[in-house]
């Protein structure tokens, strides 16, 4: 469990966003993020839209070239190497099952494409067997291989997306909001499938979602992002029950709890305002414009992510002011 | 019965499509008093939005009410002409749509869109309407309202746009506000702001709310009564506590089991509802949930169950309850 499979160090991903030639403007989508994921572990990543969680996931796979920083996979620095051999080991499941499957390809070909690229099949028969095995893994069957994506429901399409990721026997999968587009009763089916596949195939996940209750359910550890920064990282239960950062606090309290009695008792911390534009983030601590504890120190100095208890990291100047819960 | 604000009796509604008749609503009965907050939960395609649209008479032309009556605030909605309806819509009953990004007109300013409603339903002139618009924007918590009135929708964030939608919906102090998944497209922190705002305004103006959502957390926090819909039918109806602590229908139970709970310390496996929602083009003969139900009996596949009253105001349509009642009555 304790072997690091994926590690990023001071990863930065800036997108060019206009400005003049000599004074270009950048969106700092991911800014100086360091984290690691152990083998066989699920790391959850939560945050509001625009906080950079998807960009971080994609940059780890080098679908975007990082602006600065290092990506280390299984002890090897892969920031600059040819990715082809690593593409087989690192896969992704996308958010929208309606947009991420080519409508003109059969399901068999969608799943088989990666097998062809990596030349994993020794014969036509072997290719077909592999495809069927993958479809069966995700709860579909062999006759589905000849059909087209439009014939499937959202939940089934997401299963096809997962089968495609699994086809090359990967070790690490980035799950980018894989269940947000699904109905409640179908979400549980897909979440369970992710868990079963993990224990069966010893997979490592980076699970990105905005729904904290789902992330908490599936992850061993959770990272919270705000405007391109990692603000808190801890083991799941620790993060939910003993969160330290004021942003995490408000994020947790904003979630409507599906239990009327608790809901009547609990008092929400409602954050004022919207997330500031990442083009022009606040100086110092980026959360200070919405933070109830902000002081002058927060405006001038950026808080560092530091370990507050074993394995629990938070970036805030005023952790002592945040009341215990 | 005059105290009922909304009284929908046995509404049946179908869409007539080239592929055949889609029975979107089957015998839906909803009654609401003034000041009630009703939550309607269900999956996509369960008919929760259609119910709301039929109160507003905002159905596409293929959709027709084929049976039942809708009475709202003394008006017989399904017998009214479009012209009569226009006098009510946006005035006595208004709606907030799911997607704030597309429900505002991009080529008109915010002010223009708010004034339109006010000037249509009241005798106010442009200047008075403008004052009212500023008042409304302040009410929904938008700062610098006078400046915002001159802006276009694209200049505002999602949460702001949804506030503008709420301002438009509240312009004439409606008796009933229908919120069709008002926060699905928004982040949780913004969602909390919007829900808080809606509840605050409800007390201030004294309106009733129908909250349509698939998020059980939202109904647990906001509503007094809940209607659980499946395949165009209300399968269970009761108070929040009835539904959450004493669910009777197998679908409601399944729904509650399938969501992860944030405050669980141990890792429990989720219990999903197997299978996929029904195809309303070819609905099953019996209970629509029967093909996915773990306790399905022979009769479930053939005949639709009647409602059983579990306790006062808590009803559910399931053969298991009928069976239980019969056994108890037999003894």
């Amino acid at each position: 469990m304790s072997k690091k499979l994926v590690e990023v160090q001071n990863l930065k991903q800036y997108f060019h966003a206009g400005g003049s030639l000599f004074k270009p403007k950048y969106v700092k989508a991911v800014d100086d993020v360091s984290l690691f994921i152990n083998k066989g572990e699920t790391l959850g990543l939560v945050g509001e839209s625009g906080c950079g969680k998807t960009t971080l996931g994609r940059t780890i796979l080098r679908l975007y070239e990082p602006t600065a920083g290092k990506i280390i996979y299984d002890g090897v620095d892969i920031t600059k190497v040819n990715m082809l051999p690593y593409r087989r080991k690192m896969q992704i499941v996308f958010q929208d099952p309606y947009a991420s499957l080519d409508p003109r390809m059969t399901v068999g070909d969608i799943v088989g494409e990666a097998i062809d690229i990596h030349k994993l099949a020794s014969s036509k028969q072997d290719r077909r067997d592999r495809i069927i095995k993958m479809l069966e893994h995700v709860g579909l069957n062999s006759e589905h291989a000849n059909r087209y994506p439009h014939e499937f429901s959202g939940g089934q399409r997401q299963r096809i997306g997962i089968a495609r990721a699994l086809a090359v026997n990967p070790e690490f999968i980035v799950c980018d909001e894989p269940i947000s587009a699904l109905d409640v009763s179908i979400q549980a089916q897909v979440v369970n499938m992710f868990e079963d596949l993990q224990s069966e195939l010893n997979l490592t996940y980076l699970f990105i979602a905005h729904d904290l209750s789902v992330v908490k359910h599936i992850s061993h550890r959770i990272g919270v992002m705000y405007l391109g920064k990692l603000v808190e990282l801890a083991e799941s239960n620790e993060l939910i029950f003993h969160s330290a950062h004021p942003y995490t606090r408000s994020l947790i309290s904003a979630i409507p709890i599906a239990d009327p009695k608790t809901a009547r008792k609990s008092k929400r911390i409602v954050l004022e305002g919207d997330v500031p534009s990442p083009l022009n983030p606040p100086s110092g601590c980026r959360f200070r414009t919405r933070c109830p504890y902000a002081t002058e120190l927060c405006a001038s100095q950026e808080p560092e992510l530091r370990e507050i208890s074993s394995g629990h990291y938070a970036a805030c100047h005023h952790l002592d002011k945040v009341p215990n819960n | 019965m005059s105290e009922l604000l909304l009284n929908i009796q046995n509404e049946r509604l179908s869409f007539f499509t080239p592929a055949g008749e889609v029975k979107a609503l089957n015998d839906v009965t909803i009654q609401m008093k003034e000041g009630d907050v009703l939550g309607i939960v269900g999956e996509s395609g369960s008919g929760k939005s259609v119910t709301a649209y039929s109160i507003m008479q905002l159905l596409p032309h293929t959709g027709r009410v084929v049976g039942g009556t809708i009475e709202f605030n003394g008006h017989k909605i399904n017998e009214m002409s479009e012209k009569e309806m226009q006098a009510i819509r946006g005035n006595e009953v208004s709606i907030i749509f799911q997607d704030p990004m597309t429900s505002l007109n991009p080529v008109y300013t915010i002010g223009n869109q708010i004034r339109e409603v006010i000037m249509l339903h009241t005798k106010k002139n442009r200047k008075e309407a403008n004052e009212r618009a500023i008042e409304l924007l302040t009410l929904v918590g938008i700062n610098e309202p006078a400046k915002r009135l001159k802006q276009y929708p694209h200049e505002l964030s999602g949460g702001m746009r949804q506030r503008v939608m709420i301002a438009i919906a509240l312009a004439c102090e409606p008796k009933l506000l229908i919120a069709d998944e008002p926060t699905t497209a928004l982040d949780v922190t913004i969602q909390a702001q919007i829900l808080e705002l809606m509840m605050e305004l409800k007390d201030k103006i004294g309106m009733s709310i129908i909250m349509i959502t698939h998020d059980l957390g939202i109904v647990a926090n906001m509503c007094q009564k809940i209607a659980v819909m499946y395949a165009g039918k209300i399968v269970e109806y009761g108070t929040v506590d009835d539904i959450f602590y004493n669910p009777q229908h197998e679908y409601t139970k399944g729904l509650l089991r399938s969501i992860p709970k944030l405050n669980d310390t141990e890792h429990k496996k989720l219990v999903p509802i197997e299978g996929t929602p029904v195809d309303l083009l070819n609905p099953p003969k019996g209970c629509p949930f029967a093909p996915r139900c773990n306790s399905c009996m022979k009769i479930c596949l053939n005949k639709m169950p009647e409602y059983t009253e579990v306790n006062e105001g808590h009803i559910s349509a399931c053969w298991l309850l009928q069976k239980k009642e019969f056994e108890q009555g037999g003894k």
Side-chain angles (χ1 to χ4, degrees):
Chain A
M1 266 300 279
S2 56
K3 193 170 165 276
K4 288 177 191 174
L5 184 69
V6 183
E7 186 175 4
V8 296
Q9 293 173 351
N10 306 92
L11 197 69
K12 290 181 184 170
Q13 179 66 60
Y14 295 175
F15 293 115
H16 190 236
S20 68
L21 179 63
F22 301 106
K23 220 182 153 195
K25 278 187 189 158
Y26 292 100
V27 173
K28 297 179 177 176
V30 173
D31 200 8
D32 209 1
V33 168
S34 304
L35 52 81
F36 63 88
I37 310 170
N38 288 325
K39 205 167 165 51
E41 184 191 42
T42 303
L43 179 73
L45 209 51
V46 291
E48 291 173 271
S49 41
C51 72
K53 52 192 194 304
T54 296
T55 308
L56 177 61
R58 293 188 177 186
T59 309
I60 291 176
L61 295 180
R62 277 187 58 206
L63 293 174
Y64 301 138
E65 289 302 329
T67 311
K70 261 191 197 170
I71 308 163
I72 297 161
Y73 184 83
D74 214 358
V76 186
D77 183 350
I78 59 162
T79 324
K80 293 264 155 22
V81 300
N82 174 17
M83 276 301 278
L84 187 66
Y86 291 97
R87 292 261 177 261
R88 196 188 69 68
K89 296 180 185 165
M90 307 164 86
Q91 286 286 321
I92 182 165
V93 175
F94 294 100
Q95 171 172 9
D96 186 351
Y98 293 88
S100 59
L101 302 175
D102 187 337
R104 297 191 298 175
M105 282 166 80
T106 63
V107 169
D109 284 334
I110 289 171
V111 177
E113 193 180 17
I115 297 178
D116 298 340
I117 290 170
H118 294 283
K119 303 190 179 66
L120 296 178
S122 53
S123 64
K124 263 199 167 152
Q125 186 57 40
D126 183 30
R127 178 177 184 269
R128 198 175 153 67
D129 289 346
R130 276 171 183 263
I131 292 168
I132 290 168
K133 200 178 126 207
M134 282 310 140
L135 290 177
E136 282 167 356
H137 251 317
V138 297
L140 300 169
N141 58 46
S142 56
E143 65 172 284
H144 290 133
N146 296 323
R147 298 214 214 148
Y148 288 91
H150 75 263
E151 300 173 61
F152 295 90
S153 67
Q156 284 174 314
R157 282 180 207 219
Q158 203 52 288
R159 286 167 194 265
I160 297 168
I162 297 165
R164 170 175 63 185
L166 290 176
V168 290
N169 300 322
E171 295 163 348
F172 173 61
I173 300 181
V174 174
C175 312
D176 186 7
E177 308 235 11
I179 57 161
S180 321
L182 306 176
D183 260 320
V184 198
S185 73
I186 308 298
Q187 284 190 357
Q189 292 177 10
V190 177
V191 167
N192 278 357
M193 195 174 69
F194 271 115
E195 288 187 326
D196 292 343
L197 289 170
Q198 179 165 46
S199 54
E200 222 172 290
L201 306 170
N202 194 23
L203 294 169
T204 306
Y205 294 139
L206 177 65
F207 198 93
I208 301 166
H210 61 259
D211 185 341
L212 196 51
S213 20
V214 173
V215 171
K216 189 231 155 204
H217 177 82
I218 200 166
S219 313
H220 301 105
R221 287 186 305 144
I222 300 175
V224 181
M225 283 185 78
Y226 188 78
L227 273 181
K229 287 274 182 192
L230 195 63
V231 297
E232 189 162 6
L233 178 75
E235 190 267 322
S236 314
N237 279 337
E238 170 82 9
L239 187 98
I240 301 295
F241 297 108
H242 306 288
S243 56
H245 199 282
Y247 177 62
T248 316
R249 281 284 173 86
S250 55
L251 204 59
I252 292 169
S253 90
I255 296 168
I257 296 164
D259 180 12
K261 279 181 189 155
T262 342
R264 269 171 230 141
K265 272 185 285 173
S266 61
K267 181 86 192 79
R268 279 202 208 127
I269 312 167
V270 176
L271 282 184
E272 295 297 316
D274 289 316
V275 184
S277 157
L279 246 180
N280 192 11
S283 65
C285 174
R286 295 187 179 187
F287 183 57
R288 72 180 164 87
T289 51
R290 298 170 84 193
C291 180
Y293 308 102
T295 59
E296 276 158 33
L297 175 68
C298 304
S300 58
Q301 206 182 343
E302 198 175 320
E304 260 175 54
L305 194 68
R306 57 195 169 88
E307 191 160 13
I308 53 169
S309 61
S310 167
H312 187 162
Y313 300 84
C316 178
H317 289 305
H318 299 300
L319 288 173
D320 48 323
K321 279 196 204 160
V322 185
N324 284 325
N325 55 348
Chain B
M1 289 302 266
S2 60
E3 61 193 275
L4 283 180
L5 178 69
L6 176 70
N7 187 2
I8 302 177
Q9 286 291 341
N10 301 86
E11 183 185 4
R12 277 184 288 122
L13 189 147
S14 294
F15 288 99
F16 294 91
T17 66
E21 182 184 353
V22 178
K23 291 180 178 156
L25 296 182
N26 291 308
D27 283 324
V28 168
T29 298
I30 292 174
Q31 295 180 330
M32 271 180 91
K33 291 202 205 82
E34 242 166 77
D36 274 358
V37 181
L38 171 76
I40 304 183
V41 289
E43 292 171 70
S44 32
S46 62
K48 50 192 197 308
S49 294
V50 175
T51 311
Y53 290 178
S54 74
I55 302 170
M56 299 283 289
Q57 293 282 296
L58 281 177
L59 295 161
H61 68 279
T62 47
R64 260 211 318 274
V65 177
V66 288
T69 55
I70 309 169
E71 250 178 77
F72 167 73
N73 202 16
H75 307 286
K76 290 203 163 77
I77 296 243
N78 49 341
E79 288 168 17
M80 285 167 81
S81 68
E82 175 57 25
K83 201 153 187 198
E84 290 168 308
M85 197 58 219
Q86 276 173 5
I88 298 178
R89 194 187 294 138
N91 189 8
E92 291 173 35
V93 49
S94 21
I95 190 163
I96 309 170
F97 295 101
Q98 172 172 0
D99 188 356
M101 304 295 162
T102 55
S103 41
L104 288 169
N105 192 332
V107 300
Y108 289 106
T109 59
I110 302 296
N112 209 321
Q113 298 184 52
I114 303 180
R115 279 196 303 269
E116 184 188 358
V117 194
I118 301 169
M119 285 159 78
L120 193 69
H121 292 295
T122 62
K123 290 203 176 71
K124 290 197 169 91
N125 62 28
R126 201 188 134 96
K127 198 167 156 247
E128 288 162 343
N130 214 39
E131 276 161 22
R132 173 77 180 137
I134 291 179
E135 214 179 286
L136 283 165
L137 287 186
T138 320
L139 186 72
V140 296
I142 292 181
N143 42 21
E144 299 179 86
K147 185 183 134 201
R148 299 288 177 201
L149 285 180
K150 295 194 186 84
Q151 290 186 320
Y152 288 89
H154 74 265
E155 298 174 70
L156 305 181
S157 68
M160 288 281 230
R161 283 185 228 184
Q162 199 60 296
R163 282 167 195 264
V164 172
M165 279 304 293
I166 296 176
I168 293 174
L170 297 182
C172 299
E173 308 211 335
K175 290 235 158 67
L176 176 65
L177 176 69
I178 299 170
D180 185 10
E181 311 226 6
T183 56
T184 310
L186 305 173
D187 277 315
V188 272
T189 55
I190 310 296
Q191 167 173 301
Q193 290 174 6
I194 298 286
L195 296 182
E196 200 102 319
L197 173 70
M198 283 176 65
M199 292 314 277
E200 233 171 69
L201 295 175
K202 172 190 119 46
D203 295 335
K204 232 181 244 176
I205 301 176
M207 60 183 175
S208 312
I209 297 178
I210 296 183
M211 186 78 201
I212 297 168
T213 177
H214 59 256
D215 188 334
L216 287 165
I218 293 178
V219 290
N221 279 267
M222 284 187 72
C223 306
Q224 294 142 5
K225 298 268 175 65
I226 298 176
V228 182
M229 289 191 78
Y230 189 80
K233 197 166 168 68
I234 294 179
V235 293
E236 187 161 3
Y237 179 87
T239 63
V240 177
D241 288 15
D242 286 339
I243 300 288
F244 278 90
Y245 301 123
N246 186 21
Q248 294 297 321
H249 198 278
E250 291 301 308
Y251 177 64
T252 318
K253 289 182 197 167
L255 219 51
L256 288 169
R257 271 198 302 261
S258 69
I259 49 169
K261 310 241 174 354
L262 196 63
N263 41 6
D264 273 353
T265 33
E266 302 160 63
H267 185 89
K268 287 185 214 130
K269 207 140 194 195
L270 299 179
V271 188
I273 304 175
E274 294 302 333
T276 49
V278 281
D279 173 11
L280 287 173
L281 258 178
N282 310 299
K285 206 159 69 174
C287 171
F289 187 60
R292 299 174 77 184
C293 184
N294 289 330
S295 328
C296 178
M297 302 178 290
K298 220 182 218 168
I299 190 165
C300 301
L301 295 170
N302 294 316
K303 224 175 145 203
M304 189 65 213
E306 297 279 318
Y307 286 112
T308 315
E309 189 160 15
V310 187
N311 49 39
E312 210 197 322
H314 182 188
I315 53 168
S316 172
C318 178
W319 279 116
L320 285 172
L321 296 174
Q322 298 260 324
K323 192 176 152 208
K324 212 163 105 190
E325 201 173 54
F326 180 75
E327 282 166 358
Q328 281 168 351
K331 270 174 202 163

